[in-house]
Amino acid sequence: MKLKTLLAKHKSTLVSRWVDAIVETYPPETAKFLKNKKDQFHNPIGHTIVAETQHLFDLLIEGVDREKATPFLDRIIRIRAIQEFTASKAISFVFSLKYIIREVVGPEIDTEDLDQELVDLEATLDFMSLVAFDIYVACREQVFDLRAKEVQQNAFLLLKRANLLVEKAGPEPENL
């Protein structure tokens, strides 16, 4: 039996455990909320995690390429980047799938061919984690840029209100 067949056979268990592993990285109250609220409008983060892990798992079975994986990873990482996760914690969910697969499917792997397929699959997950890291860094850069612009605009407005600003030609910071 091919590894991809085994993954497809155990898909619901693997994806469910993967979602649980992601949710468990949140504080207990948040994790409880994310697990219990199924409505996408009351729990958009939980809904996104479930939907995107299913898409990523499907890609893992069919073969991942950067262009296909990026949008699904982006939707999860974008959430985690603004929630002040460290980089390692934000992308750790990709690595957790390795251990979940070994726990669920490992006992059914009995040939060297499947062992090699598992090594290849884990290399694919490593690749996905690198893509996730790139996305995380880009999102954090956006967050820092927005914060810097906000500080600049607030300072400009304070100076303007205190009449300490010398008017000169050119656009105001909020128009930059």
Side-chain angles (χ1 to χ4, degrees):
M1 185 180 289
K2 292 264 188 205
L3 180 61
K4 291 182 180 189
T5 305
L6 280 173
L7 293 176
K9 174 182 164 186
H10 294 285
K11 178 183 174 180
S12 64
T13 302
L14 291 166
V15 172
S16 175
R17 291 197 45 199
W18 195 19
V19 168
D20 288 344
I22 296 169
V23 168
E24 289 169 6
T25 63
Y26 288 90
E29 282 299 311
T30 305
K32 184 178 176 184
F33 176 82
L34 293 174
K35 283 183 181 180
N36 293 332
K37 291 281 188 183
K38 303 295 181 194
D39 180 18
Q40 82 179 68
F41 298 106
H42 288 103
N43 184 5
I45 293 172
H47 176 76
T48 299
I49 290 169
V50 169
E52 303 314 323
T53 53
Q54 288 174 348
H55 292 303
L56 285 168
F57 194 83
D58 289 340
L59 277 178
L60 197 60
I61 292 173
E62 72 182 48
V64 177
D65 71 45
R66 184 181 186 106
E67 285 183 33
K68 288 182 181 178
T70 299
F72 305 123
L73 287 168
D74 182 77
R75 287 188 273 277
I76 295 172
I77 295 296
R78 196 166 287 279
I79 292 167
R80 296 170 75 81
I82 62 170
Q83 292 176 324
E84 302 297 328
F85 279 107
T86 62
S88 60
K89 195 166 186 176
I91 67 168
S92 66
F93 74 93
V94 179
F95 293 110
S96 68
L97 185 57
K98 285 182 180 185
Y99 303 104
I100 294 166
I101 288 172
R102 283 199 177 262
E103 286 176 11
V104 173
V105 179
E108 297 183 46
I109 296 175
D110 56 1
T111 66
E112 287 183 26
D113 291 340
L114 288 181
D115 280 340
Q116 185 56 48
E117 286 183 51
L118 185 59
V119 169
D120 294 343
L121 179 76
E122 289 177 344
T124 300
L125 286 168
D126 291 341
F127 168 76
M128 281 176 54
S129 67
L130 294 174
V131 173
F133 182 75
D134 288 344
I135 293 167
Y136 177 85
V137 169
C139 289
R140 293 301 295 166
E141 285 176 0
Q142 281 183 316
V143 168
F144 290 131
D145 285 346
L146 290 171
R147 286 181 183 162
K149 285 179 183 175
E150 182 180 8
V151 167
Q152 182 183 20
Q153 287 174 351
N154 288 341
F156 175 81
L157 291 174
L158 286 172
L159 290 171
K160 191 172 183 178
R161 284 184 188 143
N163 288 326
L164 296 174
L165 190 64
V166 176
E167 295 288 331
K168 64 180 186 179
E172 293 182 357
E174 62 262 9
N175 295 329
L176 292 178

